[in-house]
Amino acid sequence: MSTVIEARNVHFHYTPGVPVLTDVTLSIGPGATAIIGQNGAGKSTFVRLLNGLLKPVSGTILVNGVDTRTQTVASLARTVGLVFQNPSDQLFKSRVIDEVMFGPLNLGFSRDEAEARAREALAQVGLQGVETRNPYDLGLAERKLVTIASVLAMGTSVIILDEPTIAQDHAGVRRLGAIVDELAAAGRTVITITHDMNFVARHFRRVVVFGQGRVLADGDAASVFSRPDILHQTGLEAPQITRLAQALALGETPLTVEQFVDLVRRRLSGSA
């Protein structure tokens, strides 16, 4: 797997003597990676280092082999698109279409191309028909989708989603999952921070666990969710269906209901 993002011995603090990240070393390539952990574990700080909003106190962050310290936020925005947890931290235009066009325009696309990209991204997140509305006239779930569309329209090779499923209904979560799957299949690097373990289990092959500013675990979703000791340290639990399989001592780690049903059928038929 090629490396797109590399963190080497990264330390960060906002206040000297109060570490937020301690000696974080992590490589991330194409595909879908979830970063999980309790509030205050350093997850949001870490992803803000990836797009240059923050710089390491010590250590190095490389994006496509280039040290982020040598890059402006604007230049990194061509590669790394970040969707904030709170849409209000990101929205500033009075029309949805202008909000979503802003990124492509700043990347140098013509107005026609920027508008085409914006409309395609809005359709991708299911927001056709709201182009002329003020984003703040929309509900929280729709505002979140507008910010996601604004990053999708830029076409960056790295997409970071901070708590993307907040306020989304079942249909919205499924749509976001399909977008993650599509981006990962296309060779893009998708990183999410989330407390939604079901979303992680369905759509993210790699899971990194942060705790107290350190990486506690890093592996495929099944192996990480098989570590209740690690999850307990972070105040998290594996998906309910995974915990049921563990309680029944089925010997495997299903991540979805479909996988659980298949496992039970194989057990009953004696084929596993």
Side-chain angles (χ1 to χ4, degrees):
M1 179 184 71
S2 60
T3 298
V4 177
I5 291 171
E6 186 172 1
R8 299 176 180 170
N9 307 112
V10 171
H11 295 253
F12 183 84
H13 61 245
Y14 295 99
T15 303
V18 185
V20 177
L21 295 173
T22 304
D23 198 25
V24 172
T25 295
L26 194 63
S27 296
I28 301 175
T33 298
I35 299 176
I36 64 174
Q38 63 197 142
N39 292 333
K43 307 182 302 298
S44 291
T45 296
F46 178 70
V47 298
R48 280 161 174 74
L49 289 165
L50 304 185
N51 79 334
L53 287 173
L54 301 172
K55 307 293 185 183
V57 171
S58 64
T60 305
I61 300 281
L62 303 176
V63 176
N64 288 331
V66 179
D67 192 329
T68 58
R69 284 196 183 93
T70 68
Q71 303 294 303
T72 65
V73 174
S75 63
L76 283 167
R78 296 179 176 275
T79 303
V80 182
L82 171 61
V83 179
F84 294 160
Q85 177 176 338
N86 184 353
S88 297
D89 294 336
Q90 197 162 344
L91 299 170
F92 65 99
K93 293 288 189 178
S94 60
R95 296 196 315 161
V96 167
I97 191 67
D98 295 328
E99 185 72 51
V100 184
M101 288 175 61
F102 179 81
L105 286 172
N106 276 272
L107 292 181
F109 290 101
S110 69
R111 189 162 191 85
D112 286 346
E113 176 64 17
E115 182 172 347
R117 282 173 165 264
R119 291 186 182 279
E120 181 180 353
L122 286 167
Q124 194 172 2
V125 300
L127 285 184
Q128 305 97 317
V130 303
E131 291 83 357
T132 60
R133 295 185 62 183
N134 189 311
Y136 284 97
D137 290 337
L138 304 176
L140 174 59
E142 290 179 311
R143 293 200 305 274
K144 185 78 173 183
L145 293 173
V146 171
T147 61
I148 292 171
S150 70
V151 169
L152 293 176
M154 295 172 69
T156 57
S157 61
V158 180
I159 301 95
I160 302 173
L161 307 170
D162 195 344
E163 297 290 358
T165 62
I166 282 181
Q168 299 297 322
D169 59 15
H170 180 67
V173 172
R174 290 190 64 181
R175 185 182 294 275
L176 288 173
I179 291 171
V180 169
D181 294 345
E182 179 181 336
L183 293 170
R188 311 271 280 280
T189 299
V190 186
I191 301 169
T192 194
I193 297 171
T194 184
H195 288 82
D196 186 340
M197 296 301 102
N198 289 319
F199 186 65
V200 171
R202 280 194 172 274
H203 302 290
F204 291 82
R205 297 187 62 181
R206 181 181 178 191
V207 180
V208 180
V209 184
F210 271 52
Q212 297 183 331
R214 298 178 182 271
V215 175
L216 301 182
D218 179 3
D220 63 86
S223 65
V224 170
F225 287 137
S226 297
R227 295 289 306 278
D229 55 327
I230 292 292
L231 295 176
H232 181 71
Q233 292 182 49
T234 64
L236 299 173
E237 291 185 319
Q240 188 174 23
I241 200 69
T242 303
R243 286 182 280 126
L244 176 59
Q246 291 167 344
L248 295 173
L250 293 178
E252 295 182 25
T253 306
L255 300 174
T256 65
V257 171
E258 294 86 351
Q259 292 176 4
F260 178 84
V261 170
D262 178 68
L263 174 58
V264 170
R265 284 175 176 166
R266 287 188 283 114
R267 287 287 186 269
L268 292 176
S269 67
S271 62

